[in-house]
Amino acid sequence: MPLLSHLGASTIFLILALSLPLHQAKVEEGLGGPSQGPSSLDGANVSTLCQETSECQEGVILPVWLPQNPSVGDKVARAIVYFVAMIYMFLGMSIIADRFMASIEVITSQEKEITVKKANGETSTTTIRIWNETVSNLTLMALGSSAPEIMLSIIEIVGHGFQAGEMGPSTIVGSAAFNMFVIIAVCVHVVPDGETRRIKHLRVFFVTAAWSIFAYIWLYLILACFSPGEVEVWEGLLTFLFFPICVVQAWLADRRLLFYKYVQKKYRADKARGLIIETEGDTALPKLEVELDSTQANGMVEAGKNGDEEARRDMARTLRDLRQKHPEKDMEQLIEMANYHVLVQQQKSRAFYRIQATRMMIGAGNILKKHAADQARKALSLPEVRPEDDNSLTRVTFEPALYQCFENCGAVVLTVERRGGDVARTAVRVDFRTEDGTANAGSDYEYAEGTLLFKPGEIQREIRVGIIDDDIFEEDEYFRVHLSNVRAAWAEPGAEPPPKACLGPAATATVTIFDDDHAGIFTFEGASVRVSESVGAVRVRVLRTSGARGRVALPYCTIEGTAKAGEDYEEAEGKVEFLNDEITKFIEIKIIDDEEYEKNKNFHLELGPPELLEMGLRHGDSNENHPTEGQEGAAIAKMGCPSLGEHPKLEVVIEESYEFKSTVDKLIKKTNLALVVGSSSWREQFVSAVTVSAGDEDEDETGEERLPSCFDYIMHFLTVFWKVLFAFVPPTEYWGGWACFLVSIALIGVLTALTGDLASHFGCTVGLKDSVTAVVFVALGTSVPDTFASRAAAIQDQYADASIGNVTGSNAVNVFLGLGVAWTIAAGYWASQGQRFVVVPGTLAFSVTLFTIFALLSIAVLLYRRRATIGGELGGPRTPKILTALLFFCFWLLYILLAALEAYCHVQGF
């Protein structure tokens, strides 16, 4: 990206300039002898402040490359080796930090269920995170982000005999400067034109920003005011204790406890999402604001529920829009795209963005797209697998179970089948008998009873029941036929156990007798029918009962209800024609699928008065007994005209598609991002370590995984050693993430020690002081992953907290842990020896002062950008956005330039 390209070019130019021979100023007076404890230039035991060190010092792990004074060619070769090794170590630190941050994400994402009791006595169960977001950001998240800087400071102190060094403190201050100036400049610039990102938790930001400034002011007070040139035990210990004090105060601000409850806090309606969202620190908001107090907490719960419903509707609209935009894609692809959309919109922690940036950088792929693809495959649930039937069991059943006939048909034939068992070797017997329903044996049908025999090889038998005809108008009637007492036997008896047999699911058949003396009564099957909007078309059955004589036309039309013609269904009007002896017809109405999440709209289908078009023959009659024209009127009067029945009007209720709703429900469930970044087994880790995935950050709307690019393959082969090595780290699922946490931080310590040695040897080889090497190279190398993480957060997140809100907290934690722990250990050690722990202000105090001034200006600029003319800390109109990014970038260039010039005594320091 352009800003990082300029950054690299400017850095190289600066290093080349500083590598030239510089006129060195001398310091006339030393800093004390051994009896006064270790003396140092910011901890280094030298006699001059501005003279370049002629010999390289032993590292914590790496020895000095001998001989000490090689030729120019050898120096260039050594510098290249050190530089390449240092870059490779930075890659290794990024990858193990990725595992470290994954463990932190798993630890801080742990959830528990709580029961909430409302004022009316009702209870509801909800899931909350165990870790408070603010506490996790300032403790584990900040530790994960700043672990290399913190470990470098501690290891340098312990590894060099508890003497202060330049590399650790300068790296901490240099990293803070890079975070505050370069990372924020990048975040301001990358937000799309016209969009803004505001800090949501403004109170917490004020607290952490104040502590980050205070931390460096406190450093200056220690180095130059309280005990110049010395750090006492109480100073180191108090520096460390400021860390838990900072965390507690930020937590109090987040929870609105103590005096923070009096800080103005408002809620406003978000038009885009339909949610009640929290805003802070604003004095003039739109009229949509709703002031809430503690008594309205229950209302916020309801607002949350409404927000969930709105989120579901948003997801439904997203699926619908994706289907319209990509009609060629199947459902799995559409679900993958929608799931990716959900994951992108979901609020994420800084740890997640750090992990995502690292994995995309090293060719491990976009973890969101991978997870979206996996979830899409799971969302399309497999068809239900039912256990196989026992093939050794013979089942006897009617096929079919429903029969219809006219009363003058003479007889109705029912089919009985046997299924399963050894058909060729078994004989089966089953009893049957008829049973009255509305039809009576003797007057409407002939009573039948008996036994059916299935011989070996036979699978079907028939039961014939006689139907009695009369000339009396009757309603449709029915009777039943039951099967019972099924038994099976081998055709050839043997020593085998007898075969098993039972009745099947259709052991009873129903026979309906239609009257053939009437033109019929026309009706729907019921008063209403419910259909899914995805059905395409609904086929409504129209029944003709109590007669089926003649040709009858039946008008119908649709009537709007809450469902509107043209929007929810296609209007239908016409006639359906029943022929002679025809008893069923269907009316088809097309349903428009607009893919709403929850839908409950209705319209009506109404039948008009039936029209007798032609009097037909009775079923079974011939032309000889067809009534003449003179007789027709009397016959119609006798048999009755067609009429409407009990349900002439049908309500059609259109509901959402069950499959569509189920898919939306699965997608809308907030994904625990620990499942996305974590790992469950060593096998999974090793497979991921040797797999190349696309890491292209230029996302398209589809969210589909792309093929790896050439850059992805190059980065994979460069980092495959580290990825395979760190695959041995315990998976994040073990011990709730703590096993991975402990092993990872130990490995970070080892890599940090090696990196510090390489950086020191590189600086010594090219003629740079440790303070300059730390500010330019080490701080840059340890902060690049954070840069890409903040960039992704600025683009994807709705708020600015994850991109810049955590920068201030991380800067404060660097000082309180990195220097507080290291200086407490060293000061305690020298105090036990009866000596002082000497830390000369020099370059460190100058860097701290310079950073503090620029940091105050930066925070003032960010707060000014919250005004209505720009609208937020990040983004905004193009011109202010570019100017802000350039200003912050210039702050960083001025910082490293002035710090370097002071280190070589071209600028007067302390």
Coordinates of all heavy atoms in Angstrom, one line a residue, residues 615-649:
M615 N -76.4 -32.3 -18.7 CA -76.8 -33.4 -17.8 C -76.2 -34.7 -18.4 O -76.5 -35.0 -19.5 CB -78.3 -33.5 -17.7 CG -78.7 -34.7 -16.9 SD -78.0 -34.8 -15.2 CE -78.7 -33.4 -14.5
G616 N -75.4 -35.3 -17.7 CA -74.7 -36.5 -18.2 C -75.4 -37.8 -17.8 O -76.4 -37.7 -17.1
L617 N -74.9 -38.9 -18.3 CA -75.5 -40.2 -17.9 C -75.0 -40.5 -16.5 O -73.9 -40.1 -16.1 CB -75.0 -41.2 -18.9 CG -75.4 -41.1 -20.4 CD1 -74.7 -42.1 -21.2 CD2 -76.9 -41.1 -20.6
R618 N -75.9 -41.3 -15.9 CA -75.4 -41.8 -14.6 C -74.3 -42.8 -14.9 O -74.3 -43.5 -15.9 CB -76.6 -42.5 -13.9 CG -77.6 -41.5 -13.3 CD -78.4 -42.2 -12.3 NE -78.9 -43.5 -12.7 CZ -79.5 -44.4 -11.9 NH1 -79.6 -44.1 -10.6 NH2 -79.9 -45.5 -12.3
H619 N -73.4 -43.0 -13.9 CA -72.3 -43.9 -14.1 C -72.9 -45.3 -14.4 O -73.6 -45.8 -13.6 CB -71.5 -43.9 -12.9 CG -70.2 -44.7 -13.0 ND1 -69.1 -44.3 -13.6 CD2 -70.0 -46.0 -12.7 CE1 -68.2 -45.2 -13.6 NE2 -68.7 -46.3 -13.1
G620 N -72.5 -45.8 -15.5 CA -73.0 -47.2 -15.9 C -74.2 -47.2 -16.8 O -74.6 -48.3 -17.3
D621 N -74.9 -46.0 -16.9 CA -76.0 -46.0 -17.8 C -75.6 -46.0 -19.2 O -74.5 -45.7 -19.6 CB -76.8 -44.7 -17.5 CG -77.6 -44.8 -16.2 OD1 -77.7 -45.9 -15.7 OD2 -78.2 -43.7 -15.8
S622 N -76.6 -46.4 -20.1 CA -76.4 -46.4 -21.6 C -77.3 -45.4 -22.2 O -78.2 -44.8 -21.5 CB -76.6 -47.8 -22.2 OG -78.0 -48.2 -21.9
N623 N -77.1 -45.2 -23.5 CA -78.0 -44.2 -24.1 C -79.4 -44.6 -24.2 O -80.3 -43.7 -24.3 CB -77.5 -44.0 -25.6 CG -76.2 -43.2 -25.6 OD1 -75.9 -42.3 -24.8 ND2 -75.3 -43.5 -26.6
E624 N -79.7 -45.9 -24.0 CA -81.1 -46.3 -24.0 C -81.9 -45.8 -22.9 O -83.1 -45.4 -23.0 CB -81.2 -47.9 -24.0 CG -80.8 -48.5 -25.4 CD -79.3 -48.5 -25.6 OE1 -78.6 -48.2 -24.6 OE2 -78.9 -48.7 -26.8
N625 N -81.3 -45.7 -21.7 CA -82.0 -45.2 -20.5 C -81.7 -43.8 -20.2 O -82.0 -43.3 -19.1 CB -81.8 -46.1 -19.3 CG -80.3 -46.1 -18.9 OD1 -79.5 -45.3 -19.4 ND2 -80.0 -47.0 -18.0
H626 N -81.0 -43.0 -21.2 CA -80.8 -41.6 -20.9 C -82.1 -40.9 -21.0 O -82.9 -41.1 -21.9 CB -79.9 -41.0 -22.0 CG -79.4 -39.6 -21.8 ND1 -80.2 -38.5 -22.2 CD2 -78.3 -39.1 -21.2 CE1 -79.6 -37.4 -21.8 NE2 -78.4 -37.8 -21.3
P627 N -82.4 -39.9 -20.1 CA -83.7 -39.3 -20.1 C -83.9 -38.4 -21.3 O -82.9 -37.8 -21.8 CB -83.7 -38.5 -18.8 CG -82.2 -38.3 -18.4 CD -81.6 -39.5 -19.0
T628 N -85.1 -38.3 -21.8 CA -85.4 -37.5 -22.9 C -85.5 -36.0 -22.5 O -85.5 -35.7 -21.3 CB -86.7 -37.9 -23.6 OG1 -87.8 -37.7 -22.6 CG2 -86.7 -39.3 -24.0
E629 N -85.6 -35.1 -23.5 CA -85.7 -33.7 -23.2 C -86.9 -33.4 -22.3 O -86.8 -32.6 -21.4 CB -85.8 -32.9 -24.5 CG -84.4 -32.2 -24.8 CD -84.6 -31.3 -26.0 OE1 -85.4 -30.4 -25.9 OE2 -83.9 -31.5 -27.0
G630 N -88.0 -34.1 -22.5 CA -89.1 -33.8 -21.7 C -88.9 -34.3 -20.3 O -89.5 -33.8 -19.4
Q631 N -88.2 -35.3 -20.2 CA -88.0 -35.9 -18.9 C -86.9 -35.2 -18.1 O -86.7 -35.4 -16.9 CB -87.6 -37.4 -19.0 CG -88.7 -38.2 -19.7 CD -88.2 -39.6 -20.0 OE1 -87.1 -39.8 -20.4 NE2 -89.0 -40.6 -19.8
E632 N -86.0 -34.4 -18.8 CA -84.8 -33.8 -18.2 C -85.2 -32.9 -17.0 O -84.6 -33.0 -16.0 CB -84.0 -33.1 -19.2 CG -82.6 -32.7 -18.7 CD -81.7 -32.2 -19.8 OE1 -82.1 -32.3 -20.9 OE2 -80.7 -31.7 -19.4
G633 N -86.2 -32.1 -17.2 CA -86.5 -31.1 -16.1 C -86.9 -31.9 -14.9 O -86.5 -31.6 -13.8
A634 N -87.8 -33.0 -15.1 CA -88.2 -33.7 -13.9 C -87.0 -34.5 -13.3 O -87.0 -34.6 -12.1 CB -89.3 -34.7 -14.4
A635 N -86.1 -34.9 -14.1 CA -85.0 -35.7 -13.6 C -84.1 -34.7 -12.8 O -83.6 -35.1 -11.7 CB -84.1 -36.3 -14.7
I636 N -83.9 -33.5 -13.3 CA -83.1 -32.5 -12.6 C -83.7 -32.2 -11.2 O -83.1 -32.0 -10.2 CB -82.8 -31.3 -13.4 CG1 -81.9 -31.6 -14.6 CG2 -82.2 -30.2 -12.6 CD1 -81.8 -30.5 -15.6
A637 N -85.0 -32.0 -11.3 CA -85.8 -31.6 -10.1 C -85.6 -32.8 -9.1 O -85.5 -32.5 -7.9 CB -87.2 -31.4 -10.4
K638 N -85.6 -34.0 -9.6 CA -85.5 -35.2 -8.7 C -84.1 -35.3 -8.1 O -83.9 -35.5 -6.9 CB -85.9 -36.4 -9.5 CG -85.8 -37.7 -8.6 CD -86.1 -38.9 -9.4 CE -86.0 -40.2 -8.6 NZ -86.2 -41.4 -9.4
M639 N -83.1 -35.1 -9.0 CA -81.7 -35.4 -8.6 C -81.1 -34.1 -7.9 O -80.1 -34.2 -7.2 CB -80.9 -35.8 -9.7 CG -81.3 -37.2 -10.2 SD -80.2 -37.8 -11.6 CE -80.8 -36.8 -12.9
G640 N -81.6 -33.0 -8.2 CA -81.1 -31.8 -7.6 C -80.0 -31.1 -8.4 O -79.3 -31.7 -9.2
C641 N -80.0 -29.8 -8.4 CA -79.0 -29.0 -9.1 C -77.7 -28.9 -8.4 O -77.6 -29.2 -7.2 CB -79.5 -27.6 -9.3 SG -81.0 -27.5 -10.3
P642 N -76.5 -28.6 -9.1 CA -75.3 -28.5 -8.4 C -75.3 -27.3 -7.4 O -76.0 -26.3 -7.7 CB -74.3 -28.3 -9.5 CG -75.1 -27.8 -10.7 CD -76.4 -28.4 -10.5
S643 N -74.6 -27.4 -6.4 CA -74.6 -26.3 -5.4 C -73.2 -26.2 -4.7 O -72.4 -27.1 -4.8 CB -75.7 -26.5 -4.4 OG -75.5 -27.8 -3.7
L644 N -73.0 -25.2 -3.9 CA -71.8 -25.0 -3.1 C -71.9 -25.7 -1.8 O -73.0 -25.7 -1.2 CB -71.5 -23.5 -2.9 CG -71.2 -22.7 -4.2 CD1 -70.9 -21.3 -3.9 CD2 -69.9 -23.3 -4.9
G645 N -70.8 -26.2 -1.3 CA -70.8 -26.9 0.0 C -70.4 -26.1 1.2 O -70.6 -24.9 1.2
E646 N -69.8 -26.8 2.1 CA -69.5 -26.1 3.4 C -68.4 -25.1 3.3 O -68.4 -24.1 4.1 CB -69.0 -27.2 4.4 CG -68.7 -26.7 5.8 CD -68.3 -27.8 6.7 OE1 -68.2 -29.0 6.3 OE2 -68.0 -27.5 7.9
H647 N -67.4 -25.3 2.4 CA -66.3 -24.4 2.3 C -66.1 -23.8 0.9 O -65.2 -24.1 0.2 CB -65.0 -25.1 2.7 CG -65.0 -25.7 4.0 ND1 -65.1 -25.0 5.2 CD2 -64.9 -27.0 4.4 CE1 -65.1 -25.8 6.2 NE2 -65.0 -27.1 5.8
P648 N -67.0 -22.8 0.6 CA -66.9 -22.2 -0.7 C -65.8 -21.1 -0.8 O -65.5 -20.7 -1.9 CB -68.3 -21.6 -0.9 CG -68.7 -21.2 0.5 CD -68.2 -22.3 1.3
K649 N -65.3 -20.7 0.3 CA -64.2 -19.7 0.3 C -63.0 -20.2 1.1 O -63.2 -20.6 2.3 CB -64.8 -18.4 1.0 CG -63.9 -17.2 0.8 CD -64.6 -15.9 1.4 CE -63.7 -14.7 1.1 NZ -64.4 -13.5 1.6

